[in-house]
Amino acid sequence: MVSTGALYEEAVRAMSTYRSMAARMQNARAKTQGRLDGRMILLSERIGEMLGQLTDMERSALSCWRDGIMPNTYRVDHDAIKAKPYVSIRRVERSFDTHETYEDVIEEVNASQLALGSAHWQRLRQIVKRTNG
C-alpha cells in the first residue's frame, strides 16, 4: 500500500489519456495522426514533469514509465503503454499468504456456507478440488 497524493492521480489520468491517444493513432487519418502526434509530444513532456515531482514510492506504484536520458528525469514508456492497452497504469501487486492451506480455505468456506445454499457450496468445493489437484 502506497500513500499517494493529487499529483499521482493527475499523472495516472494523463498517462491514461496518452494511452488512449496512442491507441487512436493506429486507425486515424494522416491529418488526425499529425494532430495527435503533436498533442502526444506535449502530453508526454507534461507527464515527464509530473513523474519528476512524484516521490519514489509514488513512482514505483506506476507502470509504463522509464528513466529519461538525463539523471532524475523520467518519461512515458511508449512501447509499454501500447503493449498493455487494458492493463492498469497503477502497478498492482498482490501478495498471498503462502502458509494458507487447502484446509484453511475449506474451513473459511464452511463458515460462510450458511449464507448460501448447500448445493452451491458443494459445486464450488468440486471446482476448487479439481483446480488444486
Side-chain angles (χ1 to χ4, degrees):
M1 215 47 172
V2 175
S3 85
T4 59
L7 187 58
Y8 173 85
E9 294 301 325
E10 187 178 340
V12 169
R13 279 192 303 274
M15 292 174 83
S16 296
T17 301
Y18 184 93
R19 178 173 40 201
S20 297
M21 292 169 87
R24 192 170 160 222
M25 178 79 89
Q26 295 175 348
N27 297 323
R29 293 187 173 139
K31 185 177 179 180
T32 305
Q33 283 182 350
R35 280 187 291 189
L36 284 173
D37 192 43
R39 288 160 79 191
M40 286 174 65
I41 290 170
L42 293 174
L43 184 57
S44 176
E45 290 172 1
R46 194 172 119 223
I47 291 169
E49 291 171 6
M50 282 190 269
L51 288 171
Q53 294 173 5
L54 294 175
T55 65
D56 290 337
M57 289 299 287
E58 287 176 322
R59 235 185 337 274
S60 70
L62 291 173
S63 61
C64 302
W65 65 272
R66 60 172 42 169
D67 291 322
I69 297 169
M70 302 295 291
N72 297 322
T73 61
Y74 308 95
R75 64 187 179 97
V76 173
D77 187 348
H78 183 79
D79 295 330
I81 256 185
K82 282 180 59 178
K84 304 180 195 178
Y86 301 106
V87 177
S88 177
I89 290 170
R90 290 177 174 90
R91 184 168 295 174
V92 178
E93 295 176 5
R94 293 181 174 86
S95 62
F96 296 98
D97 184 10
T98 56
H99 301 294
E100 188 173 51
T101 64
Y102 175 75
E103 288 77 24
D104 293 336
V105 172
I106 291 299
E107 187 176 312
E108 187 177 323
V109 166
N110 285 335
S112 62
Q113 186 173 0
L114 299 173
L116 296 172
S118 180
H120 173 78
W121 284 108
Q122 288 293 73
R123 178 73 180 128
L124 183 60
R125 277 196 194 112
Q126 290 173 352
I127 293 169
V128 169
K129 283 181 182 178
R130 256 189 278 143
T131 57
N132 288 333

